[in-house]
mmCIF file with all atom_site columns, all heavy atoms in Angstrom:
data_model
loop_
_atom_site.group_PDB
_atom_site.id
_atom_site.type_symbol
_atom_site.label_atom_id
_atom_site.label_alt_id
_atom_site.label_comp_id
_atom_site.label_asym_id
_atom_site.label_entity_id
_atom_site.label_seq_id
_atom_site.pdbx_PDB_ins_code
_atom_site.Cartn_x
_atom_site.Cartn_y
_atom_site.Cartn_z
_atom_site.occupancy
_atom_site.B_iso_or_equiv
_atom_site.pdbx_formal_charge
_atom_site.auth_seq_id
_atom_site.auth_comp_id
_atom_site.auth_asym_id
_atom_site.auth_atom_id
_atom_site.pdbx_PDB_model_num
ATOM 1   N N   . ALA D 1 1  ? 110.311 -14.864 -164.969 1.00 97.00 ? 3  ALA D N   1
ATOM 2   C CA  . ALA D 1 1  ? 111.458 -14.735 -165.882 1.00 97.00 ? 3  ALA D CA  1
ATOM 3   C C   . ALA D 1 1  ? 111.128 -15.638 -167.178 1.00 97.00 ? 3  ALA D C   1
ATOM 4   O O   . ALA D 1 1  ? 111.520 -15.290 -168.212 1.00 97.00 ? 3  ALA D O   1
ATOM 5   C CB  . ALA D 1 1  ? 112.669 -15.213 -165.211 1.00 97.00 ? 3  ALA D CB  1
ATOM 6   N N   . ILE D 1 2  ? 110.474 -16.797 -166.908 1.00 97.00 ? 4  ILE D N   1
ATOM 7   C CA  . ILE D 1 2  ? 110.134 -17.650 -167.970 1.00 97.00 ? 4  ILE D CA  1
ATOM 8   C C   . ILE D 1 2  ? 109.115 -17.062 -168.930 1.00 97.00 ? 4  ILE D C   1
ATOM 9   O O   . ILE D 1 2  ? 109.246 -17.068 -170.179 1.00 97.00 ? 4  ILE D O   1
ATOM 10  C CB  . ILE D 1 2  ? 109.702 -19.047 -167.511 1.00 97.00 ? 4  ILE D CB  1
ATOM 11  C CG1 . ILE D 1 2  ? 110.739 -19.663 -166.667 1.00 97.00 ? 4  ILE D CG1 1
ATOM 12  C CG2 . ILE D 1 2  ? 109.240 -19.922 -168.662 1.00 97.00 ? 4  ILE D CG2 1
ATOM 13  C CD1 . ILE D 1 2  ? 110.300 -20.971 -165.981 1.00 97.00 ? 4  ILE D CD1 1
ATOM 14  N N   . THR D 1 3  ? 108.018 -16.488 -168.335 1.00 97.00 ? 5  THR D N   1
ATOM 15  C CA  . THR D 1 3  ? 106.984 -15.900 -169.227 1.00 97.00 ? 5  THR D CA  1
ATOM 16  C C   . THR D 1 3  ? 107.492 -14.756 -169.953 1.00 97.00 ? 5  THR D C   1
ATOM 17  O O   . THR D 1 3  ? 107.160 -14.481 -171.129 1.00 97.00 ? 5  THR D O   1
ATOM 18  C CB  . THR D 1 3  ? 105.738 -15.560 -168.386 1.00 97.00 ? 5  THR D CB  1
ATOM 19  O OG1 . THR D 1 3  ? 106.150 -14.684 -167.246 1.00 97.00 ? 5  THR D OG1 1
ATOM 20  C CG2 . THR D 1 3  ? 105.043 -16.735 -167.851 1.00 97.00 ? 5  THR D CG2 1
ATOM 21  N N   . ALA D 1 4  ? 108.437 -13.981 -169.376 1.00 97.00 ? 6  ALA D N   1
ATOM 22  C CA  . ALA D 1 4  ? 109.045 -12.861 -170.049 1.00 97.00 ? 6  ALA D CA  1
ATOM 23  C C   . ALA D 1 4  ? 109.841 -13.337 -171.218 1.00 97.00 ? 6  ALA D C   1
ATOM 24  O O   . ALA D 1 4  ? 109.810 -12.827 -172.370 1.00 97.00 ? 6  ALA D O   1
ATOM 25  C CB  . ALA D 1 4  ? 109.893 -12.003 -169.169 1.00 97.00 ? 6  ALA D CB  1
ATOM 26  N N   . ALA D 1 5  ? 110.613 -14.413 -171.051 1.00 98.00 ? 7  ALA D N   1
ATOM 27  C CA  . ALA D 1 5  ? 111.436 -14.969 -172.149 1.00 98.00 ? 7  ALA D CA  1
ATOM 28  C C   . ALA D 1 5  ? 110.574 -15.538 -173.271 1.00 98.00 ? 7  ALA D C   1
ATOM 29  O O   . ALA D 1 5  ? 110.796 -15.372 -174.499 1.00 98.00 ? 7  ALA D O   1
ATOM 30  C CB  . ALA D 1 5  ? 112.363 -16.052 -171.570 1.00 98.00 ? 7  ALA D CB  1
ATOM 31  N N   . LEU D 1 6  ? 109.425 -16.222 -172.889 1.00 98.00 ? 8  LEU D N   1
ATOM 32  C CA  . LEU D 1 6  ? 108.540 -16.735 -173.860 1.00 98.00 ? 8  LEU D CA  1
ATOM 33  C C   . LEU D 1 6  ? 107.847 -15.633 -174.661 1.00 98.00 ? 8  LEU D C   1
ATOM 34  O O   . LEU D 1 6  ? 107.625 -15.794 -175.901 1.00 98.00 ? 8  LEU D O   1
ATOM 35  C CB  . LEU D 1 6  ? 107.447 -17.608 -173.194 1.00 98.00 ? 8  LEU D CB  1
ATOM 36  C CG  . LEU D 1 6  ? 108.028 -18.890 -172.640 1.00 98.00 ? 8  LEU D CG  1
ATOM 37  C CD1 . LEU D 1 6  ? 107.006 -19.602 -171.693 1.00 98.00 ? 8  LEU D CD1 1
ATOM 38  C CD2 . LEU D 1 6  ? 108.439 -19.915 -173.743 1.00 98.00 ? 8  LEU D CD2 1
ATOM 39  N N   . TYR D 1 7  ? 107.603 -14.508 -174.044 1.00 98.00 ? 9  TYR D N   1
ATOM 40  C CA  . TYR D 1 7  ? 107.046 -13.345 -174.697 1.00 98.00 ? 9  TYR D CA  1
ATOM 41  C C   . TYR D 1 7  ? 108.066 -12.932 -175.750 1.00 98.00 ? 9  TYR D C   1
ATOM 42  O O   . TYR D 1 7  ? 107.758 -12.672 -176.924 1.00 98.00 ? 9  TYR D O   1
ATOM 43  C CB  . TYR D 1 7  ? 106.764 -12.226 -173.733 1.00 98.00 ? 9  TYR D CB  1
ATOM 44  C CG  . TYR D 1 7  ? 106.457 -10.871 -174.370 1.00 98.00 ? 9  TYR D CG  1
ATOM 45  C CD1 . TYR D 1 7  ? 105.144 -10.560 -174.561 1.00 98.00 ? 9  TYR D CD1 1
ATOM 46  C CD2 . TYR D 1 7  ? 107.456 -10.009 -174.778 1.00 98.00 ? 9  TYR D CD2 1
ATOM 47  C CE1 . TYR D 1 7  ? 104.798 -9.318  -175.163 1.00 98.00 ? 9  TYR D CE1 1
ATOM 48  C CE2 . TYR D 1 7  ? 107.135 -8.837  -175.407 1.00 98.00 ? 9  TYR D CE2 1
ATOM 49  C CZ  . TYR D 1 7  ? 105.816 -8.467  -175.552 1.00 98.00 ? 9  TYR D CZ  1
ATOM 50  O OH  . TYR D 1 7  ? 105.501 -7.275  -176.191 1.00 98.00 ? 9  TYR D OH  1
ATOM 51  N N   . LEU D 1 8  ? 109.305 -12.766 -175.394 1.00 98.00 ? 10 LEU D N   1
ATOM 52  C CA  . LEU D 1 8  ? 110.325 -12.294 -176.323 1.00 98.00 ? 10 LEU D CA  1
ATOM 53  C C   . LEU D 1 8  ? 110.543 -13.315 -177.503 1.00 98.00 ? 10 LEU D C   1
ATOM 54  O O   . LEU D 1 8  ? 110.695 -12.947 -178.714 1.00 98.00 ? 10 LEU D O   1
ATOM 55  C CB  . LEU D 1 8  ? 111.626 -12.133 -175.648 1.00 98.00 ? 10 LEU D CB  1
ATOM 56  C CG  . LEU D 1 8  ? 111.779 -10.951 -174.602 1.00 98.00 ? 10 LEU D CG  1
ATOM 57  C CD1 . LEU D 1 8  ? 113.106 -10.936 -173.951 1.00 98.00 ? 10 LEU D CD1 1
ATOM 58  C CD2 . LEU D 1 8  ? 111.440 -9.674  -175.231 1.00 98.00 ? 10 LEU D CD2 1
ATOM 59  N N   . GLU D 1 9  ? 110.400 -14.578 -177.137 1.00 98.00 ? 11 GLU D N   1
ATOM 60  C CA  . GLU D 1 9  ? 110.604 -15.623 -178.187 1.00 98.00 ? 11 GLU D CA  1
ATOM 61  C C   . GLU D 1 9  ? 109.618 -15.494 -179.315 1.00 98.00 ? 11 GLU D C   1
ATOM 62  O O   . GLU D 1 9  ? 109.857 -15.863 -180.475 1.00 98.00 ? 11 GLU D O   1
ATOM 63  C CB  . GLU D 1 9  ? 110.638 -16.930 -177.579 1.00 98.00 ? 11 GLU D CB  1
ATOM 64  C CG  . GLU D 1 9  ? 111.034 -18.093 -178.494 1.00 98.00 ? 11 GLU D CG  1
ATOM 65  C CD  . GLU D 1 9  ? 110.919 -19.464 -177.926 1.00 98.00 ? 11 GLU D CD  1
ATOM 66  O OE1 . GLU D 1 9  ? 110.103 -19.763 -177.047 1.00 98.00 ? 11 GLU D OE1 1
ATOM 67  O OE2 . GLU D 1 9  ? 111.734 -20.311 -178.481 1.00 98.00 ? 11 GLU D OE2 1
ATOM 68  N N   . ALA D 1 10 ? 108.423 -15.035 -179.007 1.00 98.00 ? 12 ALA D N   1
ATOM 69  C CA  . ALA D 1 10 ? 107.373 -14.861 -179.951 1.00 98.00 ? 12 ALA D CA  1
ATOM 70  C C   . ALA D 1 10 ? 107.802 -13.870 -181.094 1.00 98.00 ? 12 ALA D C   1
ATOM 71  O O   . ALA D 1 10 ? 107.192 -13.924 -182.175 1.00 98.00 ? 12 ALA D O   1
ATOM 72  C CB  . ALA D 1 10 ? 106.114 -14.410 -179.308 1.00 98.00 ? 12 ALA D CB  1
ATOM 73  N N   . PHE D 1 11 ? 108.787 -13.059 -180.892 1.00 98.00 ? 13 PHE D N   1
ATOM 74  C CA  . PHE D 1 11 ? 109.230 -12.081 -181.757 1.00 98.00 ? 13 PHE D CA  1
ATOM 75  C C   . PHE D 1 11 ? 110.532 -12.455 -182.587 1.00 98.00 ? 13 PHE D C   1
ATOM 76  O O   . PHE D 1 11 ? 110.946 -11.643 -183.379 1.00 98.00 ? 13 PHE D O   1
ATOM 77  C CB  . PHE D 1 11 ? 109.367 -10.689 -181.174 1.00 98.00 ? 13 PHE D CB  1
ATOM 78  C CG  . PHE D 1 11 ? 108.030 -10.168 -180.514 1.00 98.00 ? 13 PHE D CG  1
ATOM 79  C CD1 . PHE D 1 11 ? 107.679 -10.567 -179.283 1.00 98.00 ? 13 PHE D CD1 1
ATOM 80  C CD2 . PHE D 1 11 ? 107.241 -9.439  -181.295 1.00 98.00 ? 13 PHE D CD2 1
ATOM 81  C CE1 . PHE D 1 11 ? 106.500 -10.166 -178.733 1.00 98.00 ? 13 PHE D CE1 1
ATOM 82  C CE2 . PHE D 1 11 ? 106.031 -9.001  -180.769 1.00 98.00 ? 13 PHE D CE2 1
ATOM 83  C CZ  . PHE D 1 11 ? 105.597 -9.394  -179.505 1.00 98.00 ? 13 PHE D CZ  1
ATOM 84  N N   . VAL D 1 12 ? 110.979 -13.651 -182.279 1.00 98.00 ? 14 VAL D N   1
ATOM 85  C CA  . VAL D 1 12 ? 112.138 -14.150 -182.988 1.00 98.00 ? 14 VAL D CA  1
ATOM 86  C C   . VAL D 1 12 ? 111.670 -15.161 -184.012 1.00 98.00 ? 14 VAL D C   1
ATOM 87  O O   . VAL D 1 12 ? 110.946 -16.123 -183.703 1.00 98.00 ? 14 VAL D O   1
ATOM 88  C CB  . VAL D 1 12 ? 113.126 -14.801 -181.936 1.00 98.00 ? 14 VAL D CB  1
ATOM 89  C CG1 . VAL D 1 12 ? 114.329 -15.429 -182.675 1.00 98.00 ? 14 VAL D CG1 1
ATOM 90  C CG2 . VAL D 1 12 ? 113.553 -13.812 -181.000 1.00 98.00 ? 14 VAL D CG2 1
ATOM 91  N N   . ASP D 1 13 ? 112.158 -15.049 -185.300 1.00 98.00 ? 15 ASP D N   1
ATOM 92  C CA  . ASP D 1 13 ? 111.708 -15.973 -186.303 1.00 98.00 ? 15 ASP D CA  1
ATOM 93  C C   . ASP D 1 13 ? 112.249 -17.333 -186.109 1.00 98.00 ? 15 ASP D C   1
ATOM 94  O O   . ASP D 1 13 ? 113.291 -17.569 -185.527 1.00 98.00 ? 15 ASP D O   1
ATOM 95  C CB  . ASP D 1 13 ? 112.167 -15.434 -187.657 1.00 98.00 ? 15 ASP D CB  1
ATOM 96  C CG  . ASP D 1 13 ? 111.436 -14.211 -188.187 1.00 98.00 ? 15 ASP D CG  1
ATOM 97  O OD1 . ASP D 1 13 ? 110.447 -13.821 -187.545 1.00 98.00 ? 15 ASP D OD1 1
ATOM 98  O OD2 . ASP D 1 13 ? 111.891 -13.590 -189.181 1.00 98.00 ? 15 ASP D OD2 1
ATOM 99  N N   . GLU D 1 14 ? 111.423 -18.322 -186.485 1.00 96.00 ? 16 GLU D N   1
ATOM 100 C CA  . GLU D 1 14 ? 111.778 -19.723 -186.340 1.00 96.00 ? 16 GLU D CA  1
ATOM 101 C C   . GLU D 1 14 ? 113.097 -19.942 -187.171 1.00 96.00 ? 16 GLU D C   1
ATOM 102 O O   . GLU D 1 14 ? 113.344 -19.383 -188.190 1.00 96.00 ? 16 GLU D O   1
ATOM 103 C CB  . GLU D 1 14 ? 110.719 -20.637 -186.888 1.00 96.00 ? 16 GLU D CB  1
ATOM 104 C CG  . GLU D 1 14 ? 109.430 -20.639 -185.926 1.00 96.00 ? 16 GLU D CG  1
ATOM 105 C CD  . GLU D 1 14 ? 108.508 -21.705 -186.408 1.00 96.00 ? 16 GLU D CD  1
ATOM 106 O OE1 . GLU D 1 14 ? 108.927 -22.650 -187.201 1.00 96.00 ? 16 GLU D OE1 1
ATOM 107 O OE2 . GLU D 1 14 ? 107.338 -21.661 -185.956 1.00 96.00 ? 16 GLU D OE2 1
ATOM 108 N N   . GLY D 1 15 ? 113.937 -20.797 -186.605 1.00 97.00 ? 17 GLY D N   1
ATOM 109 C CA  . GLY D 1 15 ? 115.202 -21.179 -187.270 1.00 97.00 ? 17 GLY D CA  1
ATOM 110 C C   . GLY D 1 15 ? 116.326 -20.318 -186.938 1.00 97.00 ? 17 GLY D C   1
ATOM 111 O O   . GLY D 1 15 ? 117.503 -20.639 -187.322 1.00 97.00 ? 17 GLY D O   1
ATOM 112 N N   . ILE D 1 16 ? 116.115 -19.326 -186.114 1.00 98.00 ? 18 ILE D N   1
ATOM 113 C CA  . ILE D 1 16 ? 117.221 -18.415 -185.661 1.00 98.00 ? 18 ILE D CA  1
ATOM 114 C C   . ILE D 1 16 ? 117.731 -18.920 -184.256 1.00 98.00 ? 18 ILE D C   1
ATOM 115 O O   . ILE D 1 16 ? 116.931 -19.122 -183.380 1.00 98.00 ? 18 ILE D O   1
ATOM 116 C CB  . ILE D 1 16 ? 116.816 -16.960 -185.615 1.00 98.00 ? 18 ILE D CB  1
ATOM 117 C CG1 . ILE D 1 16 ? 116.504 -16.475 -187.059 1.00 98.00 ? 18 ILE D CG1 1
ATOM 118 C CG2 . ILE D 1 16 ? 117.948 -16.070 -184.933 1.00 98.00 ? 18 ILE D CG2 1
ATOM 119 C CD1 . ILE D 1 16 ? 115.993 -15.008 -187.050 1.00 98.00 ? 18 ILE D CD1 1
ATOM 120 N N   . SER D 1 17 ? 119.003 -19.105 -184.169 1.00 98.00 ? 19 SER D N   1
ATOM 121 C CA  . SER D 1 17 ? 119.595 -19.513 -182.912 1.00 98.00 ? 19 SER D CA  1
ATOM 122 C C   . SER D 1 17 ? 119.609 -18.222 -181.910 1.00 98.00 ? 19 SER D C   1
ATOM 123 O O   . SER D 1 17 ? 120.291 -17.263 -182.211 1.00 98.00 ? 19 SER D O   1
ATOM 124 C CB  . SER D 1 17 ? 120.999 -20.017 -183.042 1.00 98.00 ? 19 SER D CB  1
ATOM 125 O OG  . SER D 1 17 ? 121.634 -20.190 -181.812 1.00 98.00 ? 19 SER D OG  1
ATOM 126 N N   . TRP D 1 18 ? 118.777 -18.276 -180.876 1.00 98.00 ? 20 TRP D N   1
ATOM 127 C CA  . TRP D 1 18 ? 118.562 -17.113 -180.013 1.00 98.00 ? 20 TRP D CA  1
ATOM 128 C C   . TRP D 1 18 ? 118.818 -17.447 -178.576 1.00 98.00 ? 20 TRP D C   1
ATOM 129 O O   . TRP D 1 18 ? 118.388 -18.482 -178.089 1.00 98.00 ? 20 TRP D O   1
ATOM 130 C CB  . TRP D 1 18 ? 117.120 -16.593 -180.183 1.00 98.00 ? 20 TRP D CB  1
ATOM 131 C CG  . TRP D 1 18 ? 116.660 -15.625 -179.212 1.00 98.00 ? 20 TRP D CG  1
ATOM 132 C CD1 . TRP D 1 18 ? 117.023 -14.351 -179.052 1.00 98.00 ? 20 TRP D CD1 1
ATOM 133 C CD2 . TRP D 1 18 ? 115.671 -15.846 -178.153 1.00 98.00 ? 20 TRP D CD2 1
ATOM 134 N NE1 . TRP D 1 18 ? 116.365 -13.752 -178.016 1.00 98.00 ? 20 TRP D NE1 1
ATOM 135 C CE2 . TRP D 1 18 ? 115.486 -14.737 -177.395 1.00 98.00 ? 20 TRP D CE2 1
ATOM 136 C CE3 . TRP D 1 18 ? 114.887 -16.990 -177.772 1.00 98.00 ? 20 TRP D CE3 1
ATOM 137 C CZ2 . TRP D 1 18 ? 114.579 -14.604 -176.326 1.00 98.00 ? 20 TRP D CZ2 1
ATOM 138 C CZ3 . TRP D 1 18 ? 114.024 -16.888 -176.718 1.00 98.00 ? 20 TRP D CZ3 1
ATOM 139 C CH2 . TRP D 1 18 ? 113.908 -15.704 -176.002 1.00 98.00 ? 20 TRP D CH2 1
ATOM 140 N N   . SER D 1 19 ? 119.504 -16.537 -177.911 1.00 98.00 ? 21 SER D N   1
ATOM 141 C CA  . SER D 1 19 ? 119.706 -16.681 -176.457 1.00 98.00 ? 21 SER D CA  1
ATOM 142 C C   . SER D 1 19 ? 119.394 -15.350 -175.770 1.00 98.00 ? 21 SER D C   1
ATOM 143 O O   . SER D 1 19 ? 119.704 -14.314 -176.337 1.00 98.00 ? 21 SER D O   1
ATOM 144 C CB  . SER D 1 19 ? 121.147 -17.069 -176.116 1.00 98.00 ? 21 SER D CB  1
ATOM 145 O OG  . SER D 1 19 ? 121.494 -18.340 -176.672 1.00 98.00 ? 21 SER D OG  1
ATOM 146 N N   . HIS D 1 20 ? 118.764 -15.381 -174.599 1.00 98.00 ? 22 HIS D N   1
ATOM 147 C CA  . HIS D 1 20 ? 118.326 -14.212 -173.901 1.00 98.00 ? 22 HIS D CA  1
ATOM 148 C C   . HIS D 1 20 ? 118.900 -14.247 -172.489 1.00 98.00 ? 22 HIS D C   1
ATOM 149 O O   . HIS D 1 20 ? 118.631 -15.197 -171.709 1.00 98.00 ? 22 HIS D O   1
ATOM 150 C CB  . HIS D 1 20 ? 116.750 -14.211 -173.907 1.00 98.00 ? 22 HIS D CB  1
ATOM 151 C CG  . HIS D 1 20 ? 116.171 -13.469 -172.772 1.00 98.00 ? 22 HIS D CG  1
ATOM 152 N ND1 . HIS D 1 20 ? 116.446 -12.023 -172.580 1.00 98.00 ? 22 HIS D ND1 1
ATOM 153 C CD2 . HIS D 1 20 ? 115.316 -13.785 -171.767 1.00 98.00 ? 22 HIS D CD2 1
ATOM 154 C CE1 . HIS D 1 20 ? 115.740 -11.638 -171.562 1.00 98.00 ? 22 HIS D CE1 1
ATOM 155 N NE2 . HIS D 1 20 ? 115.164 -12.655 -171.012 1.00 98.00 ? 22 HIS D NE2 1
ATOM 156 N N   . PHE D 1 21 ? 119.652 -13.185 -172.121 1.00 98.00 ? 23 PHE D N   1
ATOM 157 C CA  . PHE D 1 21 ? 120.262 -13.074 -170.837 1.00 98.00 ? 23 PHE D CA  1
ATOM 158 C C   . PHE D 1 21 ? 119.468 -12.115 -169.986 1.00 98.00 ? 23 PHE D C   1
ATOM 159 O O   . PHE D 1 21 ? 119.295 -10.892 -170.333 1.00 98.00 ? 23 PHE D O   1
ATOM 160 C CB  . PHE D 1 21 ? 121.710 -12.571 -170.951 1.00 98.00 ? 23 PHE D CB  1
ATOM 161 C CG  . PHE D 1 21 ? 122.648 -13.669 -171.379 1.00 98.00 ? 23 PHE D CG  1
ATOM 162 C CD1 . PHE D 1 21 ? 122.753 -14.065 -172.666 1.00 98.00 ? 23 PHE D CD1 1
ATOM 163 C CD2 . PHE D 1 21 ? 123.437 -14.403 -170.446 1.00 98.00 ? 23 PHE D CD2 1
ATOM 164 C CE1 . PHE D 1 21 ? 123.594 -15.086 -173.178 1.00 98.00 ? 23 PHE D CE1 1
ATOM 165 C CE2 . PHE D 1 21 ? 124.302 -15.398 -170.825 1.00 98.00 ? 23 PHE D CE2 1
ATOM 166 C CZ  . PHE D 1 21 ? 124.313 -15.773 -172.138 1.00 98.00 ? 23 PHE D CZ  1
ATOM 167 N N   . ASP D 1 22 ? 119.010 -12.580 -168.799 1.00 98.00 ? 24 ASP D N   1
ATOM 168 C CA  . ASP D 1 22 ? 118.293 -11.722 -167.811 1.00 98.00 ? 24 ASP D CA  1
ATOM 169 C C   . ASP D 1 22 ? 119.264 -11.463 -166.681 1.00 98.00 ? 24 ASP D C   1
ATOM 170 O O   . ASP D 1 22 ? 119.563 -12.345 -165.881 1.00 98.00 ? 24 ASP D O   1
ATOM 171 C CB  . ASP D 1 22 ? 117.005 -12.528 -167.366 1.00 98.00 ? 24 ASP D CB  1
ATOM 172 C CG  . ASP D 1 22 ? 116.100 -11.655 -166.581 1.00 98.00 ? 24 ASP D CG  1
ATOM 173 O OD1 . ASP D 1 22 ? 116.509 -10.625 -166.000 1.00 98.00 ? 24 ASP D OD1 1
ATOM 174 O OD2 . ASP D 1 22 ? 114.874 -12.010 -166.521 1.00 98.00 ? 24 ASP D OD2 1
ATOM 175 N N   . ILE D 1 23 ? 119.769 -10.264 -166.608 1.00 98.00 ? 25 ILE D N   1
ATOM 176 C CA  . ILE D 1 23 ? 120.960 -9.913  -165.769 1.00 98.00 ? 25 ILE D CA  1
ATOM 177 C C   . ILE D 1 23 ? 120.594 -8.861  -164.721 1.00 98.00 ? 25 ILE D C   1
ATOM 178 O O   . ILE D 1 23 ? 119.614 -8.083  -164.885 1.00 98.00 ? 25 ILE D O   1
ATOM 179 C CB  . ILE D 1 23 ? 122.119 -9.434  -166.631 1.00 98.00 ? 25 ILE D CB  1
ATOM 180 C CG1 . ILE D 1 23 ? 121.638 -8.249  -167.490 1.00 98.00 ? 25 ILE D CG1 1
ATOM 181 C CG2 . ILE D 1 23 ? 122.665 -10.544 -167.468 1.00 98.00 ? 25 ILE D CG2 1
ATOM 182 C CD1 . ILE D 1 23 ? 122.748 -7.551  -168.215 1.00 98.00 ? 25 ILE D CD1 1
ATOM 183 N N   . MET D 1 24 ? 121.398 -8.769  -163.761 1.00 98.00 ? 26 MET D N   1
ATOM 184 C CA  . MET D 1 24 ? 121.298 -7.740  -162.642 1.00 98.00 ? 26 MET D CA  1
ATOM 185 C C   . MET D 1 24 ? 122.047 -6.485  -163.059 1.00 98.00 ? 26 MET D C   1
ATOM 186 O O   . MET D 1 24 ? 121.569 -5.400  -162.791 1.00 98.00 ? 26 MET D O   1
ATOM 187 C CB  . MET D 1 24 ? 121.827 -8.306  -161.377 1.00 98.00 ? 26 MET D CB  1
ATOM 188 C CG  . MET D 1 24 ? 121.814 -7.308  -160.218 1.00 98.00 ? 26 MET D CG  1
ATOM 189 S SD  . MET D 1 24 ? 120.056 -6.888  -159.688 1.00 98.00 ? 26 MET D SD  1
ATOM 190 C CE  . MET D 1 24 ? 120.360 -5.809  -158.241 1.00 98.00 ? 26 MET D CE  1
ATOM 191 N N   . ALA D 1 25 ? 123.226 -6.624  -163.598 1.00 98.00 ? 27 ALA D N   1
ATOM 192 C CA  . ALA D 1 25 ? 124.052 -5.488  -163.987 1.00 98.00 ? 27 ALA D CA  1
ATOM 193 C C   . ALA D 1 25 ? 124.564 -4.699  -162.842 1.00 98.00 ? 27 ALA D C   1
ATOM 194 O O   . ALA D 1 25 ? 125.065 -3.528  -163.074 1.00 98.00 ? 27 ALA D O   1
ATOM 195 C CB  . ALA D 1 25 ? 123.375 -4.629  -165.081 1.00 98.00 ? 27 ALA D CB  1
ATOM 196 N N   . TRP D 1 26 ? 124.485 -5.173  -161.662 1.00 98.00 ? 28 TRP D N   1
ATOM 197 C CA  . TRP D 1 26 ? 124.827 -4.402  -160.455 1.00 98.00 ? 28 TRP D CA  1
ATOM 198 C C   . TRP D 1 26 ? 125.334 -5.397  -159.395 1.00 98.00 ? 28 TRP D C   1
ATOM 199 O O   . TRP D 1 26 ? 124.743 -6.329  -159.125 1.00 98.00 ? 28 TRP D O   1
ATOM 200 C CB  . TRP D 1 26 ? 123.650 -3.685  -159.973 1.00 98.00 ? 28 TRP D CB  1
ATOM 201 C CG  . TRP D 1 26 ? 123.850 -2.616  -158.963 1.00 98.00 ? 28 TRP D CG  1
ATOM 202 C CD1 . TRP D 1 26 ? 123.835 -2.818  -157.573 1.00 98.00 ? 28 TRP D CD1 1
ATOM 203 C CD2 . TRP D 1 26 ? 124.246 -1.315  -159.054 1.00 98.00 ? 28 TRP D CD2 1
ATOM 204 N NE1 . TRP D 1 26 ? 124.122 -1.615  -156.857 1.00 98.00 ? 28 TRP D NE1 1
ATOM 205 C CE2 . TRP D 1 26 ? 124.377 -0.700  -157.837 1.00 98.00 ? 28 TRP D CE2 1
ATOM 206 C CE3 . TRP D 1 26 ? 124.429 -0.515  -160.274 1.00 98.00 ? 28 TRP D CE3 1
ATOM 207 C CZ2 . TRP D 1 26 ? 124.780 0.718   -157.685 1.00 98.00 ? 28 TRP D CZ2 1
ATOM 208 C CZ3 . TRP D 1 26 ? 124.771 0.806   -160.075 1.00 98.00 ? 28 TRP D CZ3 1
ATOM 209 C CH2 . TRP D 1 26 ? 124.913 1.405   -158.836 1.00 98.00 ? 28 TRP D CH2 1
ATOM 210 N N   . ASN D 1 27 ? 126.487 -4.965  -158.760 1.00 97.00 ? 29 ASN D N   1
ATOM 211 C CA  . ASN D 1 27 ? 126.973 -5.640  -157.584 1.00 97.00 ? 29 ASN D CA  1
ATOM 212 C C   . ASN D 1 27 ? 126.392 -4.992  -156.320 1.00 97.00 ? 29 ASN D C   1
ATOM 213 O O   . ASN D 1 27 ? 126.585 -3.883  -156.032 1.00 97.00 ? 29 ASN D O   1
ATOM 214 C CB  . ASN D 1 27 ? 128.545 -5.532  -157.477 1.00 97.00 ? 29 ASN D CB  1
ATOM 215 C CG  . ASN D 1 27 ? 129.226 -6.367  -158.542 1.00 97.00 ? 29 ASN D CG  1
ATOM 216 O OD1 . ASN D 1 27 ? 128.857 -7.487  -158.813 1.00 97.00 ? 29 ASN D OD1 1
ATOM 217 N ND2 . ASN D 1 27 ? 130.276 -5.799  -159.088 1.00 97.00 ? 29 ASN D ND2 1
ATOM 218 N N   . ASN D 1 28 ? 125.671 -5.809  -155.564 1.00 97.00 ? 30 ASN D N   1
ATOM 219 C CA  . ASN D 1 28 ? 125.112 -5.442  -154.274 1.00 97.00 ? 30 ASN D CA  1
ATOM 220 C C   . ASN D 1 28 ? 126.140 -5.429  -153.139 1.00 97.00 ? 30 ASN D C   1
ATOM 221 O O   . ASN D 1 28 ? 125.907 -4.865  -152.054 1.00 97.00 ? 30 ASN D O   1
ATOM 222 C CB  . ASN D 1 28 ? 123.906 -6.178  -153.958 1.00 97.00 ? 30 ASN D CB  1
ATOM 223 C CG  . ASN D 1 28 ? 122.653 -5.784  -154.731 1.00 97.00 ? 30 ASN D CG  1
ATOM 224 O OD1 . ASN D 1 28 ? 122.536 -4.620  -155.090 1.00 97.00 ? 30 ASN D OD1 1
ATOM 225 N ND2 . ASN D 1 28 ? 121.755 -6.677  -154.955 1.00 97.00 ? 30 ASN D ND2 1
ATOM 226 N N   . ARG D 1 29 ? 127.195 -6.203  -153.321 1.00 96.00 ? 31 ARG D N   1
ATOM 227 C CA  . ARG D 1 29 ? 128.229 -6.277  -152.320 1.00 96.00 ? 31 ARG D CA  1
ATOM 228 C C   . ARG D 1 29 ? 129.596 -6.269  -152.995 1.00 96.00 ? 31 ARG D C   1
ATOM 229 O O   . ARG D 1 29 ? 129.701 -6.643  -154.173 1.00 96.00 ? 31 ARG D O   1
ATOM 230 C CB  . ARG D 1 29 ? 128.077 -7.578  -151.497 1.00 96.00 ? 31 ARG D CB  1
ATOM 231 C CG  . ARG D 1 29 ? 128.230 -8.813  -152.354 1.00 96.00 ? 31 ARG D CG  1
ATOM 232 C CD  . ARG D 1 29 ? 128.313 -10.118 -151.514 1.00 96.00 ? 31 ARG D CD  1
ATOM 233 N NE  . ARG D 1 29 ? 128.332 -11.335 -152.290 1.00 96.00 ? 31 ARG D NE  1
ATOM 234 C CZ  . ARG D 1 29 ? 128.670 -12.521 -151.836 1.00 96.00 ? 31 ARG D CZ  1
ATOM 235 N NH1 . ARG D 1 29 ? 129.032 -12.632 -150.450 1.00 96.00 ? 31 ARG D NH1 1
ATOM 236 N NH2 . ARG D 1 29 ? 128.724 -13.580 -152.604 1.00 96.00 ? 31 ARG D NH2 1
#
């Protein structure tokens, strides 16, 4: 999950406040 986020961060320009949510989007119970 960290390496995926770091990959995405490489495409966000410096100085921009960026947050990335890695979600399930599904209730298993």
Side-chain angles (χ1 to χ4, degrees):
I4 300 174
T5 53
L8 291 168
Y9 171 95
L10 293 179
E11 188 183 29
F13 297 87
V14 177
D15 288 353
E16 289 188 16
I18 293 176
S19 174
W20 166 71
S21 297
H22 156 62
F23 283 79
D24 190 337
I25 54 170
M26 178 67 175
W28 190 266
N29 287 322
N30 282 331
R31 61 172 178 162

